[in-house]
């Protein structure tokens, strides 16, 4: 395993321990509302702190972009390396004791994601990938599914829950998907949804309005597992727009076709 990936795994496992300990007593969590339907707990913050400490100890010069503390330059200023961190992806699930949440850590080098970890502390499933070296689940190689027919495909998504500008376009797409696929799931942690596409548990995924920390690690998992990710035009702008489609290559192109007619001025690529 590449040393940088190894450090990311160490950081993710440490955060996972904090999350697991706290999950035993979610009734006493202190929850703050960042904005409508956007929650943060002391667990998100503690998990982020331990991740940043672990990464900084090994790579003090690297820059960091983390959900709760924002962007920080490295010890020598902005670096070509940037760690992109979601310390607890799926906070709403976590608060409810609904066991679908994860730690997500990606490393971008000159803007290209080169390593990624998604760790599910509940199931102890560790998804890892390094650019050009494949994707793994608990050290076993994973690949996207080979399912080609949309009618047989299981598709993951995330519902709009805060910004409702795209709600109508989203629901129109949802209706089409509902008719044309074998089923749709909304598990509630985007990084894990992407990891599930990489592992072939989902054949495809779409969501609008995500943040870089939701996607950084998961997108590398998918491409390293032989899948495709893109924005609504099938291009590479998803980290900037937050609008993402992923899947095995055959399902990916069919998802693009379903979504294309629903693109609106607001719902840009
Ligand atoms: C959220 C989850 C969810 C997705 C939201 C994200 P958070 O992350 O990934 O699945 O639908 O858009 O914000 O806030 O729990 O880290
Ligand atoms: Ca998130
Ligand atoms: Ca989060």
């Amino acid at each position: 395993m590449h040393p940088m990936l190894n450090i990311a795994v160490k950081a993710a496992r440490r955060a996972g321990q904090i999350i697991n300990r706290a999950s035993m007593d979610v009734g006493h969590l202190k929850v703050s509302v960042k904005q409508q339907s956007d929650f943060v707990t002391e667990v998100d913050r503690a998990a982020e702190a331990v991740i940043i400490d672990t990464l900084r100890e090994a790579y003090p010069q690297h820059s960091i972009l983390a959900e709760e503390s924002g962007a920080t330059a490295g010890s020598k200023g902005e670096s070509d390396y940037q760690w992109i961190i979601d310390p607890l992806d799926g906070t709403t699930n976590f608060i409810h004791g609904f066991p679908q949440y994860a730690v997500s850590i990606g490393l971008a080098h000159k803007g290209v994601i080169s390593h990624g970890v998604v760790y599910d502390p509940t199931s102890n499933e560790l998804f890892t990938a390094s650019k050009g070296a494949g994707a793994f689940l608990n050290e076993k190689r994973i690949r996207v599914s080979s399912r080609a027919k949309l009618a047989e495909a299981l598709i993951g998504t995330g519902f709009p829950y805060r910004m409702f500008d795209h709600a109508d376009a989203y629901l129109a797409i949802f209706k089409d998907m509902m008719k044309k696929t074998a089923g749709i799931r909304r598990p509630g942690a985007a990084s894990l949804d992407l990891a599930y596409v990489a592992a072939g548990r989902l054949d495809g995924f779409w969501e609008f309005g995500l943040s870089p920390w939701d996607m950084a690690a998961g997108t590398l998992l998918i491409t390293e597992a032989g899948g495709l990710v893109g924005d609504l035009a099938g291009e590479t702008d998803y980290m900037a727009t937050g609008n993402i489609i992923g899947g095995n290559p055959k399902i990916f192109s069919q998802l693009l076709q379903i979504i294309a007619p629903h693109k609106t001025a607001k719902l840009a690529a």
Side-chain angles (χ1 to χ4, degrees), residues 23-165:
S23 74
M24 292 189 274
D25 194 14
V26 282
H28 288 99
L29 277 178
K30 246 194 267 144
V31 181
S32 335
V33 185
K34 287 199 272 189
Q35 46 195 328
Q36 186 195 349
S37 303
D38 192 1
F39 307 101
V40 63
T41 69
E42 68 261 59
V43 181
D44 298 63
R45 296 204 179 93
E48 183 163 303
V50 81
I51 293 168
I52 292 178
D53 281 356
T54 308
L55 300 176
R56 280 241 180 276
E57 196 187 323
Y59 300 109
Q61 315 90 320
H62 289 184
S63 299
I64 283 176
L65 174 64
E67 181 176 10
E68 311 306 339
S69 55
T72 328
S75 55
K76 294 185 177 154
E78 281 311 328
S79 160
D80 284 348
Y81 289 96
Q82 185 187 46
W83 293 96
I84 305 174
I85 303 162
D86 191 334
L88 176 50
D89 183 37
T91 296
T92 303
N93 281 347
F94 175 74
I95 291 168
H96 290 262
F98 188 100
Q100 182 77 4
Y101 41 81
V103 180
S104 175
I105 304 175
L107 177 63
H109 181 231
K110 296 186 175 169
V112 178
I113 307 296
S114 46
H115 302 286
V117 177
V118 175
Y119 179 54
D120 176 342
T122 307
S123 61
N124 194 26
E125 287 191 318
L126 179 76
F127 299 87
T128 54
S130 291
K131 198 166 173 50
F136 297 82
L137 165 52
N138 292 342
E139 296 184 6
K140 274 176 77 179
R141 187 82 194 241
I142 49 173
R143 287 181 200 286
V144 293
S145 71
S146 55
R147 211 163 274 108
K149 291 189 185 137
L150 200 55
E152 293 171 4
L154 185 63
I155 305 298
T157 188
F159 303 145
Y161 64 99
R162 174 160 45 86
M163 304 244 297
F164 298 108
D165 313 17

